[in-house]
C-alpha cells in the first residue's frame, strides 16, 4: 500500500518557478539527446467526436513518468478545460508509484519552458519582442517563460479579448491584433490547431517561431508555404512528423528528416542553429514526456524538501 | 480542479466480487470483439535491469482507462510486490479524470476472472479439478475465480510452501507438487515466466490450460513442444504473439495467426472452441486493458452506489 505525494494544480505551479522549469527542460533535452533518458512514442486513445487521450511514458533521473492527458477542444464550449489528466511519477528501481501531479499544470510549465529554451537556442541575436497567439493556460505560461528568459515586451492576441488582456496586464505587455503579434521578433503560437494562423506572407526576415499548439493528427497552425519558408527544428522527429506542424509537409513529400534538426542537437552543440541573422527559424513543439518528467521531478523534489505544501494518498 | 474517487487495494477487492468480475470481463471481451470497446497496444517502458512499466489504455462504456503498471520480478527478493501502479478512469466525453484505483488489485481481479471465463468457454464438459501453479496475488485470485465459477477442488503449488498452504486452506483445496497440479483437468500457470513449467510430456488428453503468467518479451511458462501440442486460443493476437506464451512458436515460424483463435470469437459463438473431449486447449492470457476497464468501471460504480467506501482526491 504505497503512500504517494500529491501535488495539485496550484502546488505544481508553486513548486517550480518558470526559471527552474526552463533549466529542467533544457537538461531533459540534453539527457534525451545523449540517450540517458528514454521515451517510447506517446500513444493516442481516440474518443471521437469529443477528443483524444494520450499516454506518455518516459524514464530518467531515477524516475519513470506516465502522463495521462487529454486534448478535448470542444470542452471550451462547455466551460471545461481542453487539457485534463494526471501525471504519475514512479521509482525506476522498484517500480513503486511515488507521486501524483495535476497534468494540466505540468503541461503548462513544460510547454511554456520549451518556448524559452528554443528561443534562446534559435532566435537571432537581439531578438526581443514576443507575439503570443493564444492566451489560454499554456499560452500564458509560454509568455511567462519568455519574460523569465528576458524577452519582451510582447503583444498578446486571443479571439477572447479578456484572456489577452489579463495576460498583457500581468506581464506589462500589450494587447494587439493577430497581425501585430505576427510582426514580433519571436512568435509563439499556442492555439487548438484547428486553423492556420501563420501564412508565408506573414513571415519576416530574422524571425523565430515557436509552434506550440499543433500536437495531433490533422492539426496545424502554419500553412505548408509558411513551413517551407523556414529553417526547421523540432522537439522529436517521430512525434513532429506524425502529429505536429511538420506533418503536412512531410506527408506531401516536401520535407524529409534530413531537413529538420532536433532541438537537442542544437543544445548539445552538434548543430549551429540558424544559418544567419536573416533566416527564419521555426521550432515545432509537439510536447515530450521527457519535458513532463523534468518538471514533475523538480516539483516532487520541491515537495520533499519542504519548499511547497503537498498532500498524500495511500493506495 | 477535478475531484477524483479513490479506491485503494482493499476497496477495489471489496467493490467487485469474483462473480461480478467474471461477468464484467466476459462482457468486455464481447464488446471488444464487436469493436464497441477499443484498445491500442500497450506500451512498454523498460527500466533495465530492474523491470518494466506498461501503459495500457482502453475506451468503452463511457470511460477511458489508463493502467500504469509494472512487472519487477526482482522485487520479490526485496520483499516488495512484483506488480505496482495505478489505474486512472476518465470520462470519455469530457476527458476529466474520475477515479484512481490500486492497479495490483484491479490486475488480480481481472487476471483471475479471465481464467474462469476461458475455462467455461474452452474446458471439456465435466472438467473439475484445478491445478494452480504459482500462488502469489494473481494466482490466488485465479484460484478464487475458478472456485466461484464452480471448479475445484484444486491442487495448489508454489515454490514458497506458505503461499500454497494459505490458498489451499482458504478454498478447502490441497497443497501438492508441480506434477500433481499439472495432472488436473484445468491447469492455471501464473508464475513470473522466467522458466518453463509445462512441457509436452506433462499434457493429458482433454486438459485445458490457462497460461496467465508470461506477459512480456522473453517470458514463457510452456515449452514450444507443449504449445504445439495444443489447440491455441489467446486474449489478443498482437499482444500474445509478441509478448505472451505464443511469442516463441510465432517467432520460430511454427504457428501463424490463422492457427490461434481469440477468446472473443469463442464467446461470441463465431468459433466452436475445443474440437472434441480429448483435445488439449491452451489459452494464452497476456492481460488486456479492456479487462482492467471492465473491473475498474464496476468498482467505481460500486463506490458511486455506496456499496463500498471510497476516498476522494482533489487535483
Amino acid at each position: 500500500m504505497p503512500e504517494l505525494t500529491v501535488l495539485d494544480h496550484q502546488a505544481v505551479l508553486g513548486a517550480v518557478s518558470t526559471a527552474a522549469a526552463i533549466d529542467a527542460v533544457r537538461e531533459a533535452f540534453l539527457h534525451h539527446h545523449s540517450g540517458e533518458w528514454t521515451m517510447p512514442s506517446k500513444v493516442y486513445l481516440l474518443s471521437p467526436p469529443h477528443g483524444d487521450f494520450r499516454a506518455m511514458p518516459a524514464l530518467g533521473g531515477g524516475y519513470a513518468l506516465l502522463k495521462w492527458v487529454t486534448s478535448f477542444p470542444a470542452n471550451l464550449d462547455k466551460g471545461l478545460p481542453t487539457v485534463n489528466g494526471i501525471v504519475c511519477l514512479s521509482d525506476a528501481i522498484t517500480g513503486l508509484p511515488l507521486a501524483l501531479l495535476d497534468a494540466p499544470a505540468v503541461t503548462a510549465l513544460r510547454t511554456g519552458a520549451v518556448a524559452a529554451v528554443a528561443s534562446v537556442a534559435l532566435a537571432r541575436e537581439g531578438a526581443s519582442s514576443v507575439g503570443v497567439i493564444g492566451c489560454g493556460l499554456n499560452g500564458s505560461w509560454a509568455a511567462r517563460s519568455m519574460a523569465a528568459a528576458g524577452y519582451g515586451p510582447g503583444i498578446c492576441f486571443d479571439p477572447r479579448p479578456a484572456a489577452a488582456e489579463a495576460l498583457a496586464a500581468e506581464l506589462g505587455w500589450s494587447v494587439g491584433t493577430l497581425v501585430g503579434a505576427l510582426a514580433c521578433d519571436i512568435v509563439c503560437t499556442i492555439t487548438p490547431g484547428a486553423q492556420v494562423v501563420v501564412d508565408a506572407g506573414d513571415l519576416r526576415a530574422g524571425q523565430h517561431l515557436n509552434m506550440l499548439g499543433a500536437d495531433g493528427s490533422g492539426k496545424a497552425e502554419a500553412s505548408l508555404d509558411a513551413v517551407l519558408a523556414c529553417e526547421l527544428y523540432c522537439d522529436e522527429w517521430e512525434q513532429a512528423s506524425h502529429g505536429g506542424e511538420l506533418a503536412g509537409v512531410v506527408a506531401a513529400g516536401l520535407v524529409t528528416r534530413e531537413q529538420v534538426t532536433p532541438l537537442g542537437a542544437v543544445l548539445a552543440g552538434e548543430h549551429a542553429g540558424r544559418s544567419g541573422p536573416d533566416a527564419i527559424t521555426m521550432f515545432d513543439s509537439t510536447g515530450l514526456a521527457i519535458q513532463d518528467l523534468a518538471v514533475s521531478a523538480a516539483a516532487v523534489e520541491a515537495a520533499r524538501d519542504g519548499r511547497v505544501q503537498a498532500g498524500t494518498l495511500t493506495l
Side-chain angles (χ1 to χ4, degrees), chain A:
Chain A
M1 317 250 175
E3 185 176 270
L4 286 78
T5 299
V6 176
L7 288 156
D8 67 15
H9 192 83
Q10 291 307 325
V12 171
L13 297 179
V16 187
S17 67
T18 46
I22 292 167
D23 287 345
V25 166
R26 184 189 296 110
E27 288 296 313
F29 272 90
L30 288 167
H31 290 316
H32 181 242
H33 187 72
S34 72
E36 191 187 339
W37 287 22
T38 58
M39 178 179 64
S41 293
K42 65 172 123 177
V43 184
Y44 288 82
L45 178 71
L46 307 182
S47 187
H50 313 295
D52 61 68
F53 294 81
R54 300 102 190 261
M56 302 173 63
L59 187 84
Y63 300 107
L65 168 132
L66 189 283
K67 184 165 80 164
W68 174 235
V69 69
T70 63
S71 176
F72 276 58
N75 272 10
L76 284 175
D77 302 333
K78 304 175 192 167
L80 295 171
T82 305
V83 175
N84 287 294
I86 60 159
V87 168
C88 182
L89 199 69
S90 301
D91 184 309
I93 293 173
T94 65
L96 286 165
L98 299 173
L100 287 172
L101 302 91
D102 178 62
V106 172
T107 304
L109 277 177
R110 62 83 148 152
T111 303
V114 81
V117 172
S119 297
V120 170
L122 296 170
R124 69 170 160 74
E125 211 173 321
S128 63
S129 64
V130 179
V132 178
I133 298 170
C135 302
L137 179 65
N138 293 329
S140 295
W141 282 95
R144 291 177 191 123
S145 293
M146 294 297 288
Y151 295 106
I155 292 176
C156 303
F157 168 77
D158 196 294
R160 302 157 299 179
E165 282 158 16
L167 182 60
E170 176 189 327
L171 295 173
W173 292 7
S174 54
V175 174
T177 61
L178 177 58
V179 170
L182 286 167
C184 292
D185 298 340
I186 301 176
V187 176
C188 300
T189 64
I190 186 133
T191 73
Q195 62 192 66
V196 161
V197 291
V198 182
D199 208 346
D202 300 318
L203 300 172
R204 300 191 171 204
Q207 258 182 337
H208 171 70
L209 298 98
N210 294 310
M211 312 302 293
L212 304 164
D215 63 347
S217 183
K219 298 184 184 180
E221 299 184 289
S223 68
L224 299 193
D225 283 347
V227 176
L228 293 174
C230 296
E231 294 181 359
L232 298 174
Y233 301 83
C234 69
D235 49 11
E236 203 263 334
W237 170 256
E238 288 302 329
Q239 281 194 195
S241 60
H242 286 95
E245 207 57 57
L246 299 176
V249 291
V250 170
L254 300 169
V255 167
T256 62
R257 185 169 187 157
E258 292 64 37
Q259 293 161 267
V260 183
T261 306
L263 180 60
V266 181
L267 298 176
E270 293 172 13
H271 185 284
R274 64 169 44 238
S275 62
D278 289 339
I280 306 169
T281 49
M282 177 182 283
F283 171 62
D284 182 12
S285 164
T286 56
L288 304 185
I290 54 157
Q291 297 168 238
D292 296 303
L293 174 53
V295 167
S296 297
V300 168
E301 286 159 14
R304 199 184 53 198
D305 299 347
R307 288 180 278 126
V308 70
Q309 188 71 31
T312 58
L313 174 71
T314 302
L315 286 177

